[in-house]
Amino acid sequence: MSVVTLQMGQCGNQVGGQFFNMIARDTFDQSLAKCNVPRQTNQQFIDDVCERFFSQEEGSLKARAVMVDMEPKVIAMTTTEAKRSGLFQYNNKQQFCQKCGSGNNWAHGFLVHGSKCSQQVMDLIQKEAEKCDRLEGFFTLMSLAGGTGSGLGAYITQCVRDEFPHSFIMNQVTWPFDTGEVIVQNYNAVLTLSHLYQSSDAILIVENDQEQKICSQLLNIKKISFSDINEVIGHKLASFLQPAKSNNLTSNHLGEMLEHLVPHPEYKLLTMKTIPFMSENNIQYSAYQWPGLVKHLTQMLIANASMEEGIDWGVKLSSTGLAYNKSMANSLFLRGLDVNTVDVSSFKDGRLYPSWLPSEACLASWTNQRTFNKYEKSASLVSNSQTPLISLNHVIDKAWSMFTSRAYVHQYIKHGLAEEDFLDSFACLEQVIKNYKDL
């Protein structure tokens, strides 16, 4: 089963480049001795990865991707870096760019570029989809803060839903820094999320602030760049999208995962937690075991922590004391040595989930004995839970404060957006917040 990746805007293309680079390095650039699986098993893994994410064209491995940006610079850089890796390439014919950006304005990206460019972009997407023997769905990478990734990304997602009504669509959205990258980023985020809620099957949220903390506190990077942050995001994405099997030997295809993680259309917000993260120097001295990894990851879920450093162990699964994070569904991905011996019962505790959810629908577990990205053991949790509520509330409050004073609203109206569109978006997300609070 194949997935077509759509890289939208500057952020989407940069994250996409790191995502494919992580997959290629882990799959093709790791010696068999370090993989922890027999040669035949490793070859099957490689074949599965190739079918899912790459196509063989003109004698080289090409990413199953469509690259879209209104400015050519980032696409050119991402394409060059991929070719330089010697592991894979992007297809130059599957790129769309112009020389006029969206000015960090969601309305410009959605209403201006969307209507002008959608047919050309959809032609590229159709072409990429036709290369797949078995197309399962689309994985869109985009930002919430800017204009092209958020505005055009939301528009193209609607077009993909109309053109491929039976395919699965997951949007990975990069949440902007709280300190602010763009003055209107909260408007852009509110408009993007509300529109994606109508057309996407799942919205996978990645927060720049959290990834920066991982770079600083766990990877010990002194001068953190966007490339460092995007590499962490790429690691997290690959940790659950790379092939794995459940206990009944079904594969973690996009559809299988989304059908479990999004059992109700009103609950579409997903987040990722991954351990361990270590600097190159520390990996060789580490001696972590599965019980410790599972214990830490479980508490990260309960206490709503983004990393193992600084977990609040005072948050307990009880009706008294500090409130804990409740979930709609969780998917656990274990990779490396002895994965079949791991006790994952802590993630099945009924107190983590609403009382009306059947116990068998709470947790899906996927494993692969092949080591991942130099870690002998690694665990990732993709969660449909209350985790995004704090950030979502914060963005809505900031956006509403600006909207009530009509700050910058005229910049959106001049491109065709109405004040009622803002109000509809606020209403949509307020309902999302209420639904999650009621879990």
Side-chain angles (χ1 to χ4, degrees):
M1 303 289 277
S2 301
V3 175
V4 173
T5 300
L6 311 180
Q7 301 179 185
M8 308 297 299
Q10 176 178 332
C11 176
N13 279 289
Q14 290 174 332
V15 171
Q18 291 289 359
F19 168 61
F20 277 106
N21 188 49
M22 179 64 66
I23 290 175
R25 286 202 334 249
D26 181 64
T27 304
F28 311 117
D29 202 29
Q30 189 171 201
S31 68
L32 184 63
K34 293 182 178 179
C35 289
N36 186 47
V37 291
R39 183 179 299 276
Q40 186 176 354
T41 304
N42 189 57
Q43 187 57 52
Q44 183 61 56
F45 178 85
I46 292 173
D47 292 344
D48 291 344
V49 168
C50 288
E51 182 187 14
R52 190 173 294 189
F53 296 114
F54 298 96
S55 60
Q56 193 74 32
E57 300 175 42
E58 300 170 353
S60 62
L61 210 59
K62 302 287 179 69
R64 293 190 190 275
V66 175
M67 310 173 81
V68 179
D69 199 2
M70 292 299 103
E71 297 172 294
K73 182 179 178 181
V74 172
I75 287 182
M77 290 176 62
T78 304
T79 303
T80 300
E81 289 171 4
K83 190 173 183 178
R84 191 181 296 144
S85 74
L87 300 173
F88 78 102
Q89 297 180 33
Y90 283 100
N91 189 334
N92 292 329
K93 297 177 182 178
Q94 292 299 90
Q95 301 168 6
F96 179 87
C97 58
Q98 295 186 330
K99 295 183 179 180
C100 176
S102 302
N104 294 317
N105 187 309
W106 186 91
H108 194 190
F110 188 89
L111 294 169
V112 178
H113 287 315
S115 59
K116 286 183 179 179
C117 307
S118 61
Q119 188 55 56
Q120 291 170 277
V121 174
M122 288 306 298
D123 287 345
L124 295 178
I125 293 172
Q126 182 71 46
K127 183 179 177 182
E128 194 64 44
E130 288 173 357
K131 296 177 188 175
C132 305
D133 291 333
R134 298 183 298 166
L135 173 67
E136 182 158 31
F138 299 88
F139 180 39
T140 304
L141 304 162
M142 54 193 281
S143 168
L144 288 181
T148 300
S150 62
L152 182 58
Y155 193 95
I156 294 300
T157 300
Q158 289 185 4
C159 295
V160 171
R161 171 55 68 214
D162 293 339
E163 190 71 23
F164 301 90
H166 304 298
S167 295
F168 290 95
I169 303 174
M170 179 168 68
N171 290 68
Q172 181 268 311
V173 296
T174 301
W175 206 278
F177 287 104
D178 187 49
T179 50
E181 301 168 36
V182 179
I183 192 136
V184 291
Q185 66 183 34
N186 298 303
Y187 279 163
N188 294 340
V190 166
L191 291 163
T192 304
L193 289 170
S194 62
H195 280 74
L196 290 182
Y197 233 83
Q198 312 308 316
S199 51
S200 181
D201 292 304
I203 303 167
L204 179 63
I205 294 172
V206 174
E207 298 190 40
N208 273 338
D209 286 299
Q210 295 177 358
E211 313 314 320
Q212 186 179 48
K213 287 180 181 177
I214 291 174
C215 290
S216 173
Q217 299 178 31
L218 300 182
L219 299 178
N220 299 323
I221 300 173
K222 302 304 179 186
K223 294 183 179 180
I224 301 169
S225 65
F226 274 111
S227 180
D228 296 321
I229 292 172
N230 292 337
E231 189 169 348
V232 170
I233 297 173
H235 174 99
K236 286 186 171 183
L237 294 173
S239 71
F240 82 93
L241 290 172
Q242 291 269 62
K245 299 280 188 181
S246 66
N247 288 336
N248 60 5
L249 301 181
T250 58
S251 296
N252 62 328
H253 295 302
L254 185 64
E256 292 278 347
M257 292 189 290
L258 295 189
E259 284 181 345
H260 167 75
L261 283 165
V262 188
H264 192 288
E266 295 299 319
Y267 301 85
K268 294 184 177 183
L269 302 182
L270 308 181
T271 53
M272 299 180 291
K273 304 179 190 297
T274 301
I275 57 173
F277 272 108
M278 297 180 187
S279 66
E280 291 276 356
N281 294 334
N282 290 340
I283 289 179
Q284 57 184 318
Y285 302 112
S286 63
Y288 45 87
Q289 301 298 325
W290 282 119
L293 289 176
V294 170
K295 181 180 179 181
H296 278 75
L297 193 57
T298 303
Q299 189 61 25
M300 286 166 65
L301 174 64
I302 294 170
N304 197 13
S306 60
M307 59 183 186
E308 63 265 41
E309 185 81 16
I311 298 174
D312 188 347
W313 293 94
V315 181
K316 305 290 185 182
L317 287 177
S318 63
S319 56
T320 59
L322 297 171
Y324 61 87
N325 185 38
K326 296 201 74 171
S327 301
M328 172 64 74
N330 287 297
S331 284
L332 180 65
F333 301 85
L334 305 174
R335 298 181 185 275
L337 303 172
D338 306 320
V339 286
N340 296 323
T341 66
V342 184
D343 179 8
V344 299
S345 58
S346 58
F347 295 100
K348 298 179 181 179
D349 193 310
R351 292 171 293 181
L352 284 167
Y353 306 92
S355 58
W356 47 264
L357 192 70
S359 58
E360 64 273 12
C362 297
L363 177 72
S365 182
W366 315 83
T367 62
N368 195 316
Q369 294 185 26
R370 192 180 191 273
T371 55
F372 172 66
N373 193 23
K374 295 173 289 190
Y375 293 100
E376 285 190 349
K377 303 180 182 74
S378 68
S380 290
L381 187 73
V382 181
S383 180
N384 186 342
S385 70
Q386 296 171 330
T387 293
L389 287 188
I390 294 175
S391 296
L392 185 56
N393 260 317
H394 191 55
V395 162
I396 291 174
D397 288 345
K398 281 188 171 182
W400 181 253
S401 179
M402 289 176 63
F403 181 74
T404 54
S405 61
R406 295 302 185 269
Y408 303 101
V409 171
H410 66 284
Q411 296 183 3
Y412 290 74
I413 290 177
K414 73 179 182 181
H415 292 301
L417 201 69
E419 289 192 6
E420 289 77 13
D421 296 320
F422 278 98
L423 294 174
D424 289 344
S425 293
F426 282 119
C428 170
L429 295 186
E430 289 291 352
Q431 184 60 50
V432 171
I433 289 174
K434 182 182 184 303
N435 291 339
Y436 274 96
K437 281 184 175 178
D438 290 343
L439 281 179

